Amino acid sequence: MDVPNATVEAEPLLVPRRSTEGGSAAATESKRLLRLAGPLVLSFILRNAVQMVSVMFVGHLGKLPLAGASLASSLANVTGFSLVAGMAGALDTLCGQAFGARRYALLGVYKQRSMLVLALASLPVVLTWVFVEQLLLAIGEDPDIAAEAGAYARWLIPSLAAFVPLTCHMRFLQTQSVVVPVMASSGVTALAHVLLCYTLVYKVGMGSKGAALGAAVSYSVNLAVLALYVRL
């Protein structure tokens, strides 16, 4: 008995696996994003851990040093470190476009210009940190806490000087998908910062000033590692 042509043509021999291929592509893209996002998140956490560890060490010196360091650290993050990190975000766009267009020479140009711009933008921030004690007294803060916060903020100024080029180097590498070295250097720096703070705060006897200065040393070491990596 002959089978009608319409019946044969209505049943395809091969069924395309669109859903399977789509799921495989999504899984591949998700893994790729995680490989980039994971080190980025860890780098951000480890970089911010430096300030947190410093305040933790100051907390063992007493209530007054802790109150002053916490207040100064909060003001420094709002008026200085967050400002620098936000302005450096422009490198994500500029360096990303240059890297995608294979205009690699512009990457270094953008990084150097951003360091100059951020350094100029940090000048009024430094001036604010110098007079933190007077500003806190003007708004009615306790004189003892204002004095502790003012001293801690002044000793944080070298940290800002190292933080500016450090942030630019990190953005410079991250826009080229070089994220693992940034995470590794941030991790080593955060671990070394614990020993550094212990040495400066207790062994050297600098107290809360040593904790603030330790952040500058740690940021400088992290900067030196990344700069050496870029050179090599």
Side-chain angles (χ1 to χ4, degrees):
M1 183 178 179
D2 295 334
V3 180
N5 292 334
T7 305
V8 175
E9 294 177 357
E11 297 179 356
L13 297 178
L14 296 176
V15 179
R17 298 181 179 180
R18 296 179 181 177
S19 59
T20 303
E21 293 178 357
S24 177
T28 303
E29 185 66 19
S30 299
K31 292 179 181 179
R32 181 175 178 273
L33 290 176
L34 287 175
R35 282 196 296 267
L36 291 175
L40 285 175
V41 173
L42 287 176
S43 300
F44 177 80
I45 294 174
L46 292 170
R47 187 187 66 185
N48 291 336
V50 170
Q51 292 289 340
M52 182 183 67
V53 170
S54 295
V55 175
M56 288 174 61
F57 272 92
V58 176
H60 292 279
L61 299 176
K63 294 182 179 179
L64 181 59
L66 176 60
S70 299
L71 182 57
S73 181
S74 298
L75 289 173
N77 283 325
V78 172
T79 61
F81 296 114
S82 296
L83 175 66
V84 169
M87 293 181 65
L91 285 176
D92 293 339
T93 301
L94 296 175
C95 288
Q97 289 178 345
F99 184 74
R102 297 185 179 182
R103 302 179 65 183
Y104 303 122
L106 286 178
L107 292 170
V109 173
Y110 288 146
K111 183 188 70 173
Q112 294 169 1
R113 289 179 179 176
S114 66
M115 287 192 289
L116 178 60
V117 171
L118 292 180
L120 294 176
S122 299
L123 295 179
V125 176
V126 170
L127 187 63
T128 303
W129 290 6
V130 171
F131 296 101
V132 162
E133 181 179 355
Q134 290 77 7
L135 293 174
L136 292 176
L137 290 174
I139 61 176
E141 185 59 71
D142 181 81
D144 293 334
I145 297 178
E148 285 286 340
Y152 193 87
R154 286 191 294 272
W155 280 87
L156 275 178
I157 293 176
S159 301
L160 185 64
F163 187 81
V164 167
L166 172 62
T167 303
C168 294
H169 274 78
M170 294 178 72
R171 302 278 184 167
F172 170 79
L173 292 172
Q174 289 170 358
T175 53
Q176 302 175 65
S177 299
V178 183
V179 292
V180 175
V182 175
M183 179 189 66
S185 65
S186 299
V188 172
T189 302
L191 291 175
H193 184 66
V194 176
L195 180 60
L196 179 62
C197 276
Y198 177 80
T199 303
L200 293 176
V201 174
Y202 298 109
K203 295 300 182 180
V204 181
M206 295 184 65
S208 61
K209 298 175 182 179
L213 183 61
V217 176
S218 295
Y219 286 148
S220 299
V221 170
N222 197 355
L223 171 62
V225 172
L226 292 182
L228 182 61
Y229 178 82
V230 171
R231 287 293 182 181
L232 295 178

